[in-house]
Amino acid sequence: MARIAGVNIPAGKPLHIALRYIYGIGPANSLEICERINMDPMKRVNQLTESELLRIREDIDRNYKVEGDLRREVSMNIKRLMDLGCYRGLRHRKGLPVHGQRTHTNARTRKGPAKPIAGKKIAKK
C-alpha cells in the first residue's frame, strides 16, 4: 500500500482512482496530476516504482492543499462565517441547510432524525 499525503491509497486500483482517496483531490485533479508528471492514469498503484511515487508526492505537495491543511482551512472558513453572524454562519450554527434548500420537508441529513412535536396529531384518512 502506497502512502501519499498521509493517506494509504489502495494498491490494486488505477492511479487516477486511487488518488481520489486523498481529501481535496477529485476526478479532475487526479487526471491533471497524472498528466503533469507524464504518467499513465490507468497504471495500477502496485506497479509504481518508488521514484514515481516520489514524483506524485512532490507534485501534490507543490500544487495542492490537501488533507489536514485543507480540512483546517474549510473549518476556519465556516468558523469565520459563524463569528460574523452572517446568514450562512447562522445556518451553520443552527445545523440547517446553508445553500437555500427547502426545510419544510426533506433536509433530514442536515437536521437529523425527525423529532416528535407534543400535541401534534397526524390526520387519519
Side-chain angles (χ1 to χ4, degrees), residues 19-103:
L19 286 175
R20 297 181 197 182
Y21 281 71
I22 301 169
Y23 182 79
I25 295 180
N29 285 343
S30 65
L31 288 171
E32 189 178 290
I33 290 167
C34 294
E35 187 178 308
R36 194 178 309 118
I37 59 174
N38 299 322
M39 200 169 296
D40 178 25
M42 293 306 293
K43 191 172 185 180
R44 304 273 172 178
V45 174
N46 54 11
Q47 298 171 341
L48 296 175
T49 64
E50 280 301 317
S51 63
E52 290 172 332
L53 284 171
L54 185 64
R55 282 180 17 219
I56 294 169
R57 276 190 209 106
E58 288 173 350
D59 186 65
I60 290 173
D61 289 343
R62 186 173 43 250
N63 297 311
Y64 297 95
K65 189 176 282 195
V66 292
E67 283 301 324
D69 294 337
L70 183 59
R71 289 181 202 270
R72 193 174 311 105
E73 183 179 319
V74 169
S75 67
M76 291 303 291
N77 288 341
I78 293 171
K79 186 178 181 320
R80 178 180 52 83
L81 290 171
M82 288 166 48
D83 292 344
L84 285 172
C86 64
Y87 182 78
R88 281 174 55 202
L90 295 176
R91 302 296 283 184
H92 274 291
R93 198 177 301 157
K94 292 178 183 176
L96 294 169
V98 178
H99 294 288
Q101 300 93 328
R102 67 179 289 138
T103 56

